[in-house]
Amino acid sequence: MSNIASSQTAKGGSVSILSVLKDFGNFRAVNDVSIEIRPNEFFTLLGPSGCGKTTLLRMLAGFEAPTDGKILLDGSDISMLPPNRRPINTVFQNYALFPHMTVAENIGFGLKMLGKSAAEISATVKEMLRLVRLEDAGNRSVTQLSGGQQQRIALARALAPKPKLLLLDEPLSALDLKLRKSMQIELKRLQQETEITFIFVTHDQEEALTMSDRIAVMNGGKVLQIGSAHDIYEHPADRFVAGFIGETNFLEGELTASAGGAGTVNLRCGVTVEALTAKSVASSGSVTIVVRPEQLEMVDPGSPQSVDATVEQIVYFGTDRHVHARLGDGTALTIRQQNRPGMREGLAEGQKIGVAIPPRVAQILKD
Amino acid sequence: MSELATLQDKEDTRRHRLLALPAILIMIALGLIPLMIVVVYSLMAPGEYGGVVPKFSLEAYVSLIFQRDMFDDTLTFSPAYLEIYLRTAIFGVVTTVLCVLVGFPTAYFMATRPADKRNIWVLLLTIPFWSNLLVRTIAVMFIIRDEGLINTILLDLGVIDHPITLLYTNFAILLGLVYSFLPFMVLPIYASLEKFDFRLAEAGFDLYANRFQVLTQIIIPLAKPGIVTGSILVFVPAFGAYVTPLLLGGGSHLMIGDLIALQFGSSRNWPLGSAFSIVLMVIVMLALLFQLRRSGQVKHG
Ligand SMILES: Nc1ncnc2c1ncn2[C@@H]1O[C@H](COP(=O)(O)OP(=O)(O)OP(=O)(O)O)[C@@H](O)[C@H]1O
Ligand SMILES: [Mg+2]
C-alpha cells in the first residue's frame, strides 16, 4: 500500500537478546534478560520507573555495551557495533530534534550521513512527511512545531533510513491524553505500513495492552513475563504482573484439588471457587488467586456461593463505576460495573452487598 | 480597543525609557563624551608640548596615508602606518583563529566533565587573571627568552646547541596574545556547550553520523553563538593590544596600540594619536558588523 513497504528489500529484522546483563558500578540495572523478538513485531517493554527499560533499549541502540550477554540482529551479533553502524533507529523520549535544522533537514539527516544522493533524500523526505501527515511542514523550523508535530517528525526522521528495527522510548509520555490516543493509533498504522520491527517502551499498561503484539513485563531489571496482551492480562505469571497490569483483587486461600487446568480453592473469606491454574502451580497448599474487578458479580447479601461485603466507596467513571467494598475479614475488593440504565439505583456507601466469583475466571498464581 | 492598546503601549515605552535613564546617562558620560573629545582632538593641530591647539586641521588624517615633504610641502604616498594597521589586523585574526582552535577543545573538555567538577575547571581557567597582565606577560618573557625555560631545557637535552630566538618575534607576540585572551574564548564557548543537550549527539550517532560528523554538523553549529561571542571578545582587545606587543615584540614589531601610545607619549602628536584611534574604532566596528551579518544570515538561511 505505501511505497516504503514495497521499496524496502529487507523489512523488519528479528532480534535475539541473549542473557544480557548491565551493571552500573555495583548496581545491576538489567539482570539476565533474554527475549526473542520476531520480524515485523510490535513488541513492548513494560515496567515501572527504574526497572531498566531505557537501559535495555540503549544497549539495543548501541549507546551502552552489555556487561555480559549478546544481542543478535537477524542472527548476527551486533553487541560490539557502534550506534552509527547498526541498522537501528531510535525515537527519543524528548524527541532530540536538531534545533538548527529545518523539518526536512532533520528527516533527511540519516540519509545524508549514509551518503545518499540529494535527489533520493528529497524524495524520501517527501514520502516520510506524507507518511506522518505533515506534507507542508518541510521548510519550517522544528522549534516552531507543537509537541505532537515534533513527535511525528521524530518518527519520520527515525523511519527515513528504513531501519530494520525502530526503538521508541516512551515516545508518547509528553503528550496530552487526547493526542496520545490518536498517536497510539498512528504508531500502530505506521508499524503496519512500514513493516519495521518496533520495540516500544512504556510504563503505561493500557498503552501496552492496546498497541502491542507481545509485551515483556519487567521489574527490577528482570523480565517477569512475555506474552500477548491477552496472556498477560488473563494469565499473569505472578503477583507483580497481576498487580501492575490493570486493577486486580488478590484473595488468599487453600488449594484442595486441581485437575485439567483448574483447581478448587477454599478462600479464607469463606467461599469455595473453581479457579484456573498455570502449569507450574503445586497441586495443593496455600495460594493466592487474582480476580479482575469486572469479573466479580454483585448479588444480594446472603445469596448462595457469595461472600458478604460492605460498600465503602463508589467511584463513577462515566463508562463504568468502581465499587470499593470490604469483606468481613478486612480484605478490600474492587468491583467494576458497566454503566447501564438503572445502574445507580439501590446502592449507597455503607450498604451490605454480596459478592460472587463466577467459576473458572479467577487465576491461581504461582508463588 | 486598539486605541487603548496603543495608549497602553505608549505608556509602557515611556516607563521603559525612564527606567533606562541611569544607564543612558552613564553611557553618555563614560562613552559618548570621551569619544567626542577624541573626534574633536583628531581634527585639531598638535601643540608644541603635547595637547592640541584649537585650530581646525585635517593634517592628522592626511598624515595617516601621506608623508609631507619638509621643504616643499608636497605629499607622497606613505604606506608605513597602513602596514601597521594591516599587521595588527592579521595579528587580531590569527589570534582569534588560534584561540578558537585551542579554546573549543578546552571548553568541550570542561563541559563534558561531571556537573559538580565543572566549576573547578572554570576556576582553574581564571586563575591567571588573578595577577596583572603585565606580570603575566613578563612571565611569558622569562619562559621564552634565550636563557629561559624552553631554551634551557632544549639545550640541556641536547636537542639544540644554540638557543632559538623566540622573544621579540611575531611568534612571541602571537603567543602572548593567545595566552592573554584565551579565557575570553573558552568561557562563552563553555557556556553554550554546557547548555548543549548531549542527547542530540546521541541522536546524531543513531542516524549514522560518525564522530567527526556529529562534531561538525551538530555540536559546532549549536555552539556557534559562543564561538561568535568569544571571537568578538578576543578580536577586539587583540586588535587594540598594547602591552603584549610592546614587551614581547621588543618595539620592533609595533601594533597599532603601541603607535597610538607613542603619539600621546614621546611623539607628542595628540591629533595623530586620536586619528589612529578613530580609524581603529571604525575598523573594529565594520568587522563586528560583518560578523553579525554573517552569523545572522546563517541562522536564517
Ligand atoms: N548511566 C547510569 N549510571 C548509573 N546508574 C544508571 C545509569 N543509567 C541508568 N541507571 C540506573 O539503572 C536503573 C534503570 O534505569 P532505566 O533508565 O533503564 O530505567 P527505566 O525503566 O527506563 O525507567 P523510567 O521509566 O523512569 O525511564 C535506574 O535505577 C537508574 O538509576
Ligand atoms: Mg526510561
Side-chain angles (χ1 to χ4, degrees):
Chain A
M1 171 196 155
S2 117
N3 16 355
I4 315 189
S6 52
S7 68
Q8 213 174 341
T9 46
K11 291 171 189 166
S14 67
V15 180
S16 308
I17 300 169
L18 303 173
S19 313
V20 164
L21 284 184
K22 180 67 191 181
D23 290 341
F24 292 112
N26 294 328
F27 180 75
R28 182 151 290 178
V30 172
N31 191 354
D32 194 20
V33 166
S34 294
I35 308 175
E36 290 287 335
I37 296 160
R38 304 172 191 134
N40 188 21
E41 191 170 15
F42 196 118
F43 193 90
T44 297
L45 298 172
L46 174 66
S49 186
C51 72
K53 307 179 297 283
T54 297
T55 308
L56 186 57
L57 213 63
R58 289 173 61 80
M59 287 191 281
L60 289 166
F63 299 129
E64 306 276 2
T67 309
D68 197 15
K70 269 188 188 156
I71 297 168
L72 310 185
L73 179 65
D74 283 341
S76 53
D77 190 353
I78 56 163
S79 317
M80 290 302 137
L81 288 181
N84 54 333
R85 299 194 32 217
R86 299 185 186 199
I88 297 174
N89 287 141
T90 307
V91 176
F92 294 84
Q93 181 167 0
N94 63 336
Y95 316 141
L97 295 173
F98 305 128
H100 58 299
M101 296 181 196
T102 63
V103 166
E105 286 166 342
N106 263 280
I107 299 176
F109 188 84
L111 295 164
K112 191 171 148 201
M113 295 302 112
L114 287 171
K116 302 289 183 205
S117 71
E120 189 180 342
I121 293 174
S122 91
T124 310
V125 166
K126 258 206 188 117
E127 185 187 326
M128 288 300 139
L129 282 171
R130 198 166 51 238
L131 195 69
V132 297
R133 298 180 175 157
L134 283 171
E135 284 89 342
D136 305 323
N139 291 322
R140 294 175 64 185
S141 153
V142 291
T143 50
Q144 298 166 354
L145 302 178
S146 71
Q149 289 170 327
Q150 290 190 6
Q151 170 67 75
R152 284 154 197 260
I153 300 308
L155 265 167
R157 185 180 70 175
L159 287 170
K162 291 164 188 161
K164 290 188 171 175
L165 174 63
L166 190 75
L167 308 174
L168 304 102
D169 193 354
E170 308 204 20
L172 308 182
S173 62
L175 305 179
D176 64 54
L177 188 66
K178 212 165 173 188
L179 199 52
R180 194 165 172 158
K181 295 276 180 216
S182 74
M183 279 307 293
Q184 288 176 1
I185 297 166
E186 194 88 330
L187 264 182
K188 191 73 190 161
R189 174 183 68 88
L190 282 173
Q191 196 262 334
Q192 282 161 351
E193 270 183 42
T194 57
E195 301 187 29
I196 290 171
T197 309
F198 275 33
I199 299 183
F200 180 84
V201 162
T202 183
H203 58 238
D204 178 336
Q205 43 101 8
E206 191 188 324
E207 201 165 275
L209 292 179
T210 54
M211 299 174 73
S212 323
D213 293 325
R214 285 192 307 150
I215 300 168
V217 183
M218 293 180 69
N219 191 32
K222 286 191 170 159
V223 171
L224 302 178
Q225 187 173 5
I226 300 176
S228 67
H230 182 268
D231 280 348
I232 284 180
Y233 188 78
E234 301 288 338
H235 309 295
D238 65 14
R239 205 183 167 106
F240 177 84
V241 176
F244 191 70
I245 315 282
E247 269 200 82
T248 306
N249 298 301
F250 293 107
L251 293 166
E252 313 287 332
E254 204 70 33
L255 181 65
T256 54
S258 73
T264 311
V265 181
N266 291 332
L267 292 179
R268 207 171 292 160
C269 59
V271 288
T272 300
V273 293
E274 202 185 342
L276 304 169
T277 55
K279 287 182 205 81
S280 50
V281 173
S283 59
S284 64
S286 79
V287 291
T288 303
I289 67 162
V290 353
V291 203
R292 300 290 180 188
E294 68 272 17
Q295 294 170 333
L296 290 173
E297 281 169 15
M298 224 157 65
V299 294
D300 292 330
S303 304
Q305 284 300 303
S306 82
V307 54
D308 287 356
T310 312
V311 175
E312 289 198 326
Q313 204 184 6
I314 304 166
V315 183
Y316 181 67
F317 279 93
T319 55
D320 50 12
R321 67 173 171 182
H322 287 186
V323 177
H324 296 282
R326 198 167 289 279
L327 302 182
D329 66 353
T331 312
L333 273 187
T334 305
I335 307 145
R336 179 144 101 212
Q337 289 188 306
Q338 279 240 295
N339 192 351
R340 291 204 187 86
M343 183 184 78
R344 264 202 80 80
E345 283 165 28
L347 192 66
E349 284 165 18
Q351 190 179 332
K352 289 265 183 240
I353 54 166
V355 180
I357 307 168
R360 286 179 169 263
V361 295
Q363 174 84 26
I364 301 173
L365 295 179
K366 61 178 176 196
D367 284 321
Chain B
M1 174 68 212
S2 74
E3 234 168 79
L4 207 72
T6 36
L7 225 76
Q8 183 67 43
D9 276 357
K10 266 186 195 153
E11 181 66 21
D12 277 358
T13 18
R14 238 195 24 223
R15 189 166 321 141
H16 284 159
R17 276 201 201 126
L18 215 65
L19 283 173
L21 198 64
I24 292 172
L25 285 178
I26 288 174
M27 273 160 70
I28 290 175
L30 299 181
L32 216 54
I33 293 177
L35 182 63
M36 292 324 293
I37 292 175
V38 174
V39 170
V40 169
Y41 274 19
S42 73
L43 295 170
M44 290 181 176
E48 190 91 14
Y49 305 102
V52 287
V53 279
K55 191 178 74 178
F56 178 78
S57 158
L58 280 174
E59 189 61 23
Y61 289 96
V62 171
S63 58
L64 278 178
I65 309 171
F66 298 104
Q67 187 138 34
R68 196 178 285 280
D69 193 285
M70 278 229 276
F71 304 106
D72 57 10
D73 259 13
T74 52
L75 293 172
T76 44
F77 176 68
S78 154
Y81 293 147
L82 293 182
E83 274 166 14
I84 291 178
Y85 271 113
L86 187 67
R87 183 161 65 230
T88 307
I90 292 172
F91 272 126
V93 170
V94 173
T95 302
T96 309
V97 170
L98 288 177
C99 279
V100 172
L101 291 181
V102 179
F104 188 88
T106 311
Y108 186 87
F109 172 83
M110 287 165 56
T112 48
R113 291 313 95 192
D116 52 333
K117 303 262 159 54
R118 289 181 203 154
N119 283 337
I120 298 176
W121 289 101
V122 174
L123 192 75
L124 284 176
L125 188 78
T126 54
I127 281 182
F129 279 79
W130 299 358
S131 69
N132 180 283
L133 175 66
L134 200 63
V135 175
R136 278 181 285 141
T137 308
I138 289 171
V140 172
M141 286 176 76
F142 273 98
I143 293 172
I144 63 174
R145 66 184 177 153
D146 284 4
E147 306 81 30
L149 193 65
I150 293 176
N151 275 316
T152 315
I153 290 175
L154 289 180
L155 282 171
D156 286 355
L157 287 176
V159 180
I160 50 172
D161 40 34
H162 296 292
I164 329 167
T165 313
L166 297 170
L167 194 54
Y168 306 139
T169 60
N170 288 337
F171 168 78
I173 297 177
L174 271 178
L175 181 73
L177 289 174
V178 169
Y179 169 66
S180 307
F181 300 127
L182 187 60
F184 295 124
M185 182 65 80
V186 175
L187 288 176
I189 298 180
Y190 167 74
S192 60
L193 283 178
E194 205 205 5
K195 277 182 289 174
F196 179 74
D197 180 357
F198 278 90
R199 281 174 298 190
L200 292 179
E202 276 189 353
F205 285 122
D206 192 64
L207 292 162
Y208 313 106
N210 57 34
R211 284 160 175 278
F212 180 74
Q213 286 164 326
V214 166
L215 183 71
T216 53
Q217 317 238 351
I218 297 166
I219 300 178
I220 289 179
L222 288 172
K224 203 162 170 207
I227 297 174
V228 171
T229 308
S231 300
I232 292 171
L233 289 181
V234 168
F235 179 76
V236 172
F239 201 69
Y242 158 64
V243 172
T244 311
L246 188 71
L247 292 181
L248 298 176
S252 58
H253 300 77
L254 283 185
M255 280 174 69
I256 196 66
D258 305 302
L259 205 59
I260 293 171
L262 207 61
Q263 304 313 316
F264 285 98
S266 50
S267 293
R268 292 200 202 116
N269 193 342
W270 288 25
L272 185 59
S274 303
F276 280 145
S277 308
I278 298 294
V279 173
L280 173 70
M281 229 177 69
V282 169
I283 293 175
V284 168
M285 264 162 55
L286 288 177
L288 289 188
L289 225 66
F290 173 73
Q291 173 72 281
L292 287 178
R293 274 287 262 299
R294 235 181 38 147
S295 54
Q297 261 168 16
V298 171
K299 210 167 166 189
H300 296 299

